[in-house]
Amino acid sequence: MKITKSLFVEFLQCPKLAWFHIHEKEKYNLIQEHLYGPSNWECGGQEVEDCVKKLFDSVVEIQNKENISSAIDVTKELINQNSSVLYQPRFEYKDAIMRADFLVLHNGKYDLVEVKSKNSIRKPSKVQNLKDDILADLSYQAYLLRKSLWEQFSGKAYLYYLNKDYIKRWGLDIFALIKQEEVSSELWGDEKIEAILQEMLEVLQKEKSDFEAIYPYNNEDYVLYFWELTPKGSIWHIPWIWNRKKSLYELWKTYILELGNKEKQLLLSAKWEVSKPYLYVEDYQNHQRRIEKSAIQKKLSQLEYPLYFYDYETITTPIPLFDGSGPRSQVPVQYSLHKIEKDGTITHKEALIEWIIKDNRAIIEQLYKDLEWGKQWTFIVWFKGFENSRNDEMAELYPEYKDFFVNVNTRTFDLMEIFSEGDFFDRNFLGSSSIKKVLPVLTELTYEWMNIPNGWIATEVIFKIATGLIQGEELIRARKDLLEYCKQDTWAMVRIRQEIVKLLS
């Protein structure tokens, strides 16, 4: 067995994930899709590496990448020739192999350069240590270089990553886009790396049952360990604690997994007493739909007609596509809008970017017209944190519309809060306040029949339109599917509100 850089990082993230990587590759690939969606994230990383190439002169790319042995020999030969910059060189030491991003010759020795398509490399704390995956990644690479290059390795390791403060203006400034930081002193030493490698070699070849006996579930991501979605009607679907991993793990260790057994209610209540999670479990076990009518009525009574239900679709890329955007910015490139008058009349408007564009100004100008700026109406969204943040960004990008976006945010009502704050409970929501979980319980609508059934796929299609990767009949179909998907999002809000009003009457 050969240990790669990705396998090393995965083992530290979750040993079971590394086991899947070796023994059940199909499940491993499905786990990756669950974590990151169907988008091709390698392409995003490649774009950043291509930008970094332009920072150097005389870059030599290692060929024969699929033939590891040959790539290692070519790397050695180029190093012996003192090539100034090597791109994707290969190295091997005992049972460990790796492909680095760049080796850069400086004062007769090679520095390691690792490229990340991220705009943050450190944990958000006072200490601001390197993120765990990045630290493991760089430590592994530096170890192999110390063992493979010996005196030819300078011992210096650099991270090149995206500058989160960079804003694209009239073309791409690569020198401003890419940040550089030396992290050599933060990396692990040989002893720690070798201990991890030895452990991997000893355990990763074991049968699943033997491996799980050594590495039982220990509060890792549920899907990474068990390769299945969290069970319906389980502790992982209790709102208000599902993201508190320590609390969930304590419950898991008591084997309080399924919520439907009333005999286990006291075990849960002993920990949580009279709280929202306790009430959730109580309602779940009683098969009871709970509607806090007075609380919901109070929220809805504050809404002034007309009601504007709107939703954005955005595009985000490591390298900014549009003027005025930055790395990983969420740029609105489509919206759907349903308007309800006081007499019940419903109208719909929408907009979507054209083929190959440089900015989203046309979308913002159309939105300004469709939301009838100057009126004191109510704007309704599902999870206002997202739409309001985009509006704040658009206000900064287009100062002439700042007052407009401030007014929209001020008068925005979040329909999701009726469910996320516990005013409306139904066990069939599975503890979620996602519109795709609430919608089929309260209405006849579903996303299952749509050509674009979720946001991951919508983002991919939007990217293809924005960059000109599709045209002709395919472009026509893609635009039709995107408009249909976004329209479904706002119509879903309309229908959910209609059903809530019925239940209140």
Side-chain angles (χ1 to χ4, degrees):
M1 181 182 75
K2 291 294 185 181
I3 297 176
T4 63
K5 179 176 67 173
S6 61
L7 191 66
F8 182 84
V9 174
E10 287 165 358
F11 183 78
L12 295 174
Q13 177 187 7
C14 173
K16 187 70 173 295
L17 178 62
W19 190 92
F20 279 129
H21 194 159
I22 293 175
H23 299 281
E24 298 186 22
K25 200 60 178 284
E26 185 176 347
K27 286 185 178 179
Y28 170 81
N29 290 335
L30 290 171
I31 291 172
Q32 296 301 303
E33 184 168 323
H34 169 76
L35 292 175
Y36 306 113
S39 300
N40 189 344
W41 291 98
E42 279 191 14
C43 289
Q46 185 62 55
E47 288 177 356
V48 181
E49 289 180 17
D50 289 342
C51 282
V52 172
K53 283 182 190 177
K54 298 175 183 177
L55 300 176
F56 301 116
D57 295 324
S58 306
V59 176
V60 178
E61 182 172 354
I62 307 301
Q63 303 299 323
N64 301 321
K65 295 174 186 175
E66 300 307 317
N67 187 327
I68 297 175
S69 219
S70 174
I72 290 172
D73 290 340
V74 171
T75 298
K76 290 178 181 177
E77 182 179 345
L78 290 170
I79 287 174
N80 289 333
Q81 295 172 6
N82 289 323
S83 298
S84 58
V85 182
L86 299 182
Y87 175 56
Q88 294 190 336
R90 291 270 197 171
F91 296 93
E92 180 176 25
Y93 176 72
K94 294 184 178 179
D95 296 302
I97 59 174
M98 77 160 188
R99 184 178 67 192
D101 287 336
F102 292 91
L103 283 185
V104 180
L105 189 64
H106 184 253
N107 292 331
K109 295 187 178 184
Y110 283 98
D111 299 337
L112 169 65
V113 171
E114 171 70 7
V115 180
K116 294 296 182 187
S117 60
K118 300 180 178 182
N119 55 22
S120 174
I121 62 170
R122 297 190 176 277
K123 298 177 181 178
S125 64
K126 289 183 179 180
V127 181
Q128 291 196 323
N129 292 323
L130 286 173
K131 291 180 177 179
D132 293 339
D133 60 328
I134 295 176
L135 178 58
D137 185 327
L138 265 293
S139 296
Y140 176 87
Q141 291 189 61
Y143 167 78
L144 256 69
L145 290 179
R146 285 193 294 270
K147 298 300 181 181
S148 303
L149 290 181
W150 297 96
E151 295 300 322
Q152 290 175 290
F153 177 44
S154 68
K156 294 182 178 181
Y158 294 86
L159 275 170
Y160 282 42
Y161 61 102
L162 300 170
N163 177 6
K164 65 181 179 181
D165 298 321
Y166 171 75
I167 299 296
K168 182 182 178 185
R169 304 283 186 190
W170 308 291
L172 195 65
D173 182 348
I174 297 174
F175 289 91
L177 170 67
I178 304 297
K179 292 190 74 171
Q180 305 172 24
E181 187 173 339
E182 184 181 356
V183 295
S184 315
S185 63
E186 302 177 60
L187 305 185
W188 299 333
D190 291 357
E191 186 176 344
K192 181 169 183 174
I193 301 292
E194 288 171 351
I196 296 170
L197 292 173
Q198 184 59 38
E199 183 181 359
M200 293 176 70
L201 290 168
E202 290 175 359
V203 300
L204 283 178
Q205 297 288 11
K206 291 183 179 293
E207 295 295 322
K208 182 186 286 188
S209 58
D210 295 332
F211 184 87
E212 291 176 343
I214 299 171
Y215 301 99
Y217 179 64
N218 191 30
N219 207 22
E220 298 97 333
D221 182 289
Y222 187 92
V223 176
L224 266 62
Y225 189 89
F226 293 104
W227 171 233
E228 63 178 6
L229 298 178
T230 52
K232 294 181 180 180
S234 70
I235 58 174
W236 284 274
H237 293 276
I238 303 175
W240 309 288
I241 68 168
W242 67 266
N243 62 343
R244 291 162 61 178
K245 291 183 66 178
K246 184 177 179 181
S247 298
L248 274 175
Y249 187 52
E250 291 301 314
L251 287 176
W252 183 84
K253 287 194 295 186
T254 65
Y255 299 99
I256 310 173
L257 305 182
E258 300 300 322
L259 303 182
N261 189 342
K262 286 191 176 184
E263 294 177 1
K264 295 180 179 178
Q265 182 176 353
L266 290 177
L267 290 173
L268 186 63
S269 64
K271 180 174 180 61
W272 292 98
E273 299 178 351
V274 180
S275 62
K276 283 188 175 182
Y278 171 76
L279 292 174
Y280 176 88
V281 174
E282 184 179 60
D283 289 336
Y284 188 96
Q285 292 172 341
N286 292 329
H287 294 262
Q288 181 176 325
R289 172 181 276 188
R290 177 170 44 81
I291 305 174
E292 302 290 349
K293 290 189 176 183
S294 60
I296 298 174
Q297 188 63 56
K298 182 178 180 180
K299 289 177 179 177
L300 296 183
S301 65
Q302 299 172 8
L303 310 186
E304 296 185 47
Y305 284 93
L307 308 178
Y308 287 89
F309 297 78
Y310 80 98
D311 177 73
Y312 288 140
E313 295 301 326
T314 63
I315 187 171
T316 177
T317 56
I319 308 300
L321 285 178
F322 308 135
D323 288 343
S325 66
R328 302 286 185 192
S329 294
Q330 293 274 4
V331 183
V333 291
Q334 178 184 3
Y335 68 84
S336 172
L337 171 66
H338 275 93
K339 174 185 176 184
I340 301 182
E341 304 283 1
K342 194 167 186 178
D343 64 4
T345 302
I346 300 176
T347 55
H348 177 254
K349 294 183 179 180
E350 60 191 0
L352 172 63
I353 58 168
E354 297 298 329
W355 187 63
I356 307 182
I357 62 168
K358 293 185 178 180
D359 59 51
N360 67 337
R361 176 175 285 277
I363 297 294
I364 301 308
E365 290 175 346
Q366 187 61 47
L367 179 69
Y368 177 84
K369 295 175 184 177
D370 289 345
L371 286 181
E372 299 183 326
W373 166 235
K375 314 291 186 180
Q376 296 299 300
W377 311 140
T378 301
F379 307 100
I380 300 177
V381 298
W382 197 278
F383 182 48
K384 68 181 180 182
F386 180 80
E387 262 73 21
N388 282 13
S389 294
R390 306 291 77 76
N391 290 339
D392 288 339
E393 291 160 1
M394 292 305 99
E396 186 174 342
L397 177 58
Y398 302 112
E400 64 270 35
Y401 294 114
K402 181 176 182 178
D403 290 343
F404 163 68
F405 283 116
V406 169
N407 182 69
V408 170
N409 282 0
T410 300
R411 302 187 62 79
T412 290
F413 173 73
D414 190 346
L415 188 61
M416 185 185 78
E417 289 179 358
I418 290 175
F419 304 93
S420 64
E421 294 181 358
D423 296 333
F424 195 130
F425 164 83
D426 189 302
R427 63 183 286 168
N428 294 309
F429 297 157
L430 301 179
S432 172
S433 55
S434 161
I435 196 168
K436 290 181 173 63
K437 289 291 192 295
V438 173
L439 184 66
V441 177
L442 297 187
T443 77
E444 76 291 350
L445 297 180
T446 176
Y447 285 78
E448 292 179 359
W449 59 274
M450 307 187 77
N451 292 330
I452 296 178
N454 58 58
W456 288 112
I457 297 176
T459 298
E460 278 199 346
V461 176
I462 289 171
F463 176 80
K464 291 177 180 178
I465 292 176
T467 55
L469 294 177
I470 54 176
Q471 53 188 311
E473 290 297 322
E474 187 179 3
L475 176 61
I476 294 172
R477 285 195 305 272
R479 290 183 59 84
K480 177 177 178 294
D481 291 342
L482 278 170
L483 291 170
E484 197 169 54
Y485 171 73
C486 198
K487 182 179 180 180
Q488 176 88 334
D489 281 341
T490 51
W491 180 240
M493 287 189 277
V494 171
R495 288 289 296 114
I496 288 171
R497 176 188 169 273
Q498 287 175 340
E499 291 305 310
I500 291 174
V501 171
K502 284 182 186 178
L503 292 168
L504 293 178
S505 60

